[in-house]
Amino acid sequence: MIGIVSGVGPYAGLDLAKNIFDNTIANVDQDHLPLALLSVPSIIADRTEYLLGIVKTNPALAIAKVILDLEKMGATLAGIPCNTAHASEIFSLIKSKLTVNDSKIKLINMVDETILEITANYPEVKKAGVLSTTGSYQFEVYSSPLKKHGLKPIIPSEKNQKEVVHQAIYDKDYGIKACSSPVTAQARAALLSTIEKLVDQGAELIIKGCTEIVLAVPEKHICGVPTIDPSKVLARSLIKHLDPQKLKSS
Amino acid sequence: MIGIVSGVGPYAGLDLAKNIFDNTIANVDQDHLPLALLSVPSIIADRTEYLLGIVKTNPALAIAKVILDLEKMGATLAGIPCNTAHASEIFSLIKSKLTVNDSKIKLINMVDETILEITANYPEVKKAGVLSTTGSYQFEVYSSPLKKHGLKPIIPSEKNQKEVVHQAIYDKDYGIKACSSPVTAQARAALLSTIEKLVDQGAELIIKGCTEIVLAVPEKHICGVPTIDPSKVLARSLIKHLDPQKLKSS
């Protein structure tokens, strides 16, 4: 059974589940893979706020607890649809907590799978644009592994990250976390203007490196370049690990 | 914690979860209510096929097991986002299985809540149109309680139900269960033509009495009458029962 750590944020969990269903070969309800989703957002501190030192408790502790609960429900593999939670300061503590608790669950790393997707399916790309939270930005969640694979990350300026991208995700009035159904025109416009800048700087694809960004910019191609949705990559990886014959061709 | 019996069908579980998030007062991830969703469709027989005698095992047994598993995860109340599972032949066995197993979970009845919504908020309505699966149609999942409340159910002819509505949901090529993301134009057109007929026959509102129908006809008003989405009604009822202060005004 696939386990989903939801609540980071809540809609991101649904988006991952939908990507799993959308990418499964199924004609009737009964063809779909078993899946458990657990959303307990009140116990999981904001990942960016932790990385920026605004809150002190590492959200890894609560995320590991959710994964252990999913395992108790029967999950044999799990994914966390939150890019910022893949910062090594958080992700490595999740993994060590699972080890300490004798967990047998296979935790799929969404960032690793995304880099693999790019190197395997976009071999001509040398410069990858990255949109993300400020936590992921400062802790190089995508920039660092991209560089390790010989790719140049193209990221917003610090000013643009702080004033435009961060606000599009977190602003209490128009940000995606406060208004996601539907996303506000202001949040979408802010992200689109940033994508345009990244493409102008040579980005040959755009990694939508925060689950909220996918809600605002669902397009597979934008400004003439393809976009990569890590949640979709994670969904396909989870299916492939559980039952490869059920994976739709991409 | 709210428990969702997903897998009946898989997308209906996500739709209920989304309705819960959409109807919760929340500015940050942490404001959202705790929720567990369990989707094990392979063990739950098709509800309509059971009611029509095509499969012998009552899906109530598997649904009750899912609810008990949700309770083990901490769910104190639960909803089943499948109208057909509310046929008394199925729903009453679910309830008795929960009682036998000493379950303390509060199972909210989506059909009862929908009838309550209509009588409370549409007091002028005397004739309610119902679109549903053939299982719900034959076992009067909505028609019977509507009549009990003095409302006249307006339903498709037997021929239309069998050849148009049923196929829109179940056809292996164009039906919503096989193609829901996106729904095919053929399935949507089939349902719209039926809604038009029901309104011509005097229906003053339309109950979208199958979770798949909501995916194909998301409109809140159609053919000049309001539509009722039982999944949204169930979502609001679940929030109200768990934490009434978190319920958005409708």
Side-chain angles (χ1 to χ4, degrees):
Chain A
M1 179 187 277
I2 294 170
I4 295 181
V5 179
S6 187
V8 287
Y11 288 96
L14 300 187
D15 187 57
L16 175 58
K18 183 170 184 301
N19 275 322
I20 292 170
F21 297 151
D22 285 352
N23 285 279
T24 302
I25 297 170
N27 278 322
V28 295
D29 293 350
Q30 290 73 19
D31 289 343
H32 281 277
L33 296 171
L35 180 152
L37 175 150
L38 198 47
S39 181
V40 277
S42 67
I43 66 164
I44 306 177
D46 187 85
R47 286 64 63 199
T48 290
E49 289 193 349
Y50 170 70
L51 292 176
L52 301 185
I54 300 164
V55 297
K56 294 295 166 207
T57 309
N58 193 326
L61 303 173
I63 291 174
K65 187 186 174 308
V66 171
I67 296 172
L68 292 167
D69 284 347
L70 287 166
E71 189 171 15
K72 272 186 220 151
M73 291 165 62
T76 50
L77 73 170
I80 309 168
C82 171
N83 293 274
T84 315
H86 287 74
S88 61
E89 286 70 12
I90 299 173
F91 203 78
S92 60
L93 183 57
I94 296 170
K95 291 217 292 189
S96 70
K97 282 285 159 193
L98 294 180
T99 306
V100 166
N101 283 280
D102 279 331
S103 172
K104 300 283 178 291
I105 209 163
K106 187 170 178 62
L107 180 60
I108 310 288
N109 183 312
M110 178 163 66
V111 172
D112 288 352
E113 296 296 314
T114 300
I115 303 292
L116 199 65
E117 162 83 5
I118 294 171
T119 53
N121 295 327
Y122 300 89
E124 73 290 358
V125 165
K126 300 288 169 228
K127 295 178 180 177
V130 185
L131 275 186
S132 70
T133 61
T134 305
S136 293
Y137 180 92
Q138 291 195 5
F139 285 77
E140 300 209 337
V141 168
Y142 280 100
S143 294
S144 170
L146 281 170
K147 285 185 236 170
K148 271 186 204 147
H149 285 80
L151 291 160
K152 185 174 178 187
I154 308 291
I155 58 174
S157 68
E158 275 190 41
K159 182 177 156 70
N160 186 297
Q161 176 65 34
K162 190 179 163 192
E163 293 173 10
V164 181
V165 179
H166 186 83
Q167 291 309 106
I169 301 169
Y170 282 96
D171 190 276
K172 292 279 189 288
D173 291 323
Y174 69 86
I176 307 161
K177 283 193 185 280
C179 319
S180 59
S181 193
V183 167
T184 64
Q186 189 174 355
R188 178 169 157 86
L191 296 175
L192 291 183
S193 77
T194 306
I195 291 174
E196 217 170 83
K197 285 199 179 90
L198 299 183
V199 173
D200 283 347
Q201 289 165 50
E204 296 156 281
L205 59 73
I206 298 290
I207 300 172
K208 295 187 276 195
C210 166
T211 42
E212 270 75 22
I213 290 167
V214 179
L215 303 175
V217 187
E219 289 92 339
K220 287 180 186 170
H221 278 80
I222 201 146
C223 300
V225 301
T227 65
I228 305 289
D229 173 1
S231 170
K232 185 181 166 191
V233 174
L234 176 59
R236 293 184 58 83
S237 174
L238 288 164
I239 298 168
K240 203 162 55 187
H241 277 89
L242 188 62
D243 188 349
Q245 295 192 322
K246 290 271 187 185
L247 184 65
K248 269 192 191 167
S249 59
S250 58
Chain B
M1 179 186 276
I2 295 171
I4 295 181
V5 179
S6 186
V8 286
Y11 289 96
L14 299 188
D15 188 56
L16 175 57
K18 184 171 183 299
N19 275 322
I20 291 170
F21 297 153
D22 285 352
N23 285 278
T24 302
I25 297 170
N27 277 322
V28 294
D29 293 350
Q30 290 73 19
D31 289 343
H32 281 277
L33 296 170
L35 180 153
L37 175 151
L38 199 46
S39 181
V40 279
S42 67
I43 66 165
I44 306 177
D46 187 86
R47 286 65 62 199
T48 290
E49 289 193 349
Y50 171 70
L51 292 175
L52 302 183
I54 299 164
V55 297
K56 294 295 166 208
T57 309
N58 193 326
L61 302 173
I63 290 173
K65 187 186 174 310
V66 171
I67 296 172
L68 292 167
D69 284 347
L70 286 166
E71 189 171 15
K72 273 186 219 150
M73 289 165 63
T76 50
L77 72 171
I80 308 168
C82 171
N83 294 274
T84 315
H86 288 73
S88 61
E89 287 70 11
I90 299 173
F91 203 78
S92 60
L93 183 56
I94 296 171
K95 290 217 293 190
S96 71
K97 282 285 158 192
L98 294 181
T99 307
V100 166
N101 283 279
D102 280 331
S103 172
K104 301 283 177 291
I105 208 163
K106 186 168 179 62
L107 180 61
I108 310 288
N109 185 312
M110 179 162 67
V111 172
D112 288 353
E113 296 296 314
T114 300
I115 303 293
L116 199 64
E117 162 83 5
I118 294 170
T119 53
N121 294 327
Y122 300 89
E124 73 290 359
V125 164
K126 299 288 170 227
K127 295 178 179 177
V130 185
L131 276 186
S132 71
T133 62
T134 305
S136 293
Y137 179 92
Q138 290 196 5
F139 285 76
E140 300 208 338
V141 168
Y142 279 100
S143 294
S144 171
L146 282 170
K147 285 185 234 167
K148 271 185 205 148
H149 284 80
L151 291 159
K152 186 174 178 186
I154 308 291
I155 58 173
S157 68
E158 276 192 38
K159 182 177 158 69
N160 186 296
Q161 176 65 36
K162 190 180 164 192
E163 294 174 9
V164 181
V165 179
H166 186 84
Q167 290 310 106
I169 300 170
Y170 281 97
D171 190 275
K172 291 279 189 288
D173 291 324
Y174 69 86
I176 306 162
K177 282 192 185 282
C179 317
S180 60
S181 193
V183 167
T184 65
Q186 191 173 354
R188 178 169 157 87
L191 296 175
L192 291 183
S193 77
T194 306
I195 291 173
E196 216 169 84
K197 285 199 179 90
L198 299 183
V199 173
D200 283 349
Q201 289 165 51
E204 295 155 280
L205 58 75
I206 298 290
I207 299 172
K208 296 187 276 196
C210 167
T211 41
E212 271 75 21
I213 290 167
V214 179
L215 302 176
V217 187
E219 289 91 339
K220 287 180 185 170
H221 278 79
I222 202 147
C223 300
V225 301
T227 66
I228 305 288
D229 173 2
S231 169
K232 185 183 166 190
V233 174
L234 176 59
R236 292 184 59 82
S237 174
L238 287 164
I239 298 168
K240 203 162 55 188
H241 277 89
L242 189 61
D243 188 349
Q245 295 191 322
K246 289 271 188 185
L247 185 64
K248 268 192 191 166
S249 58
S250 58

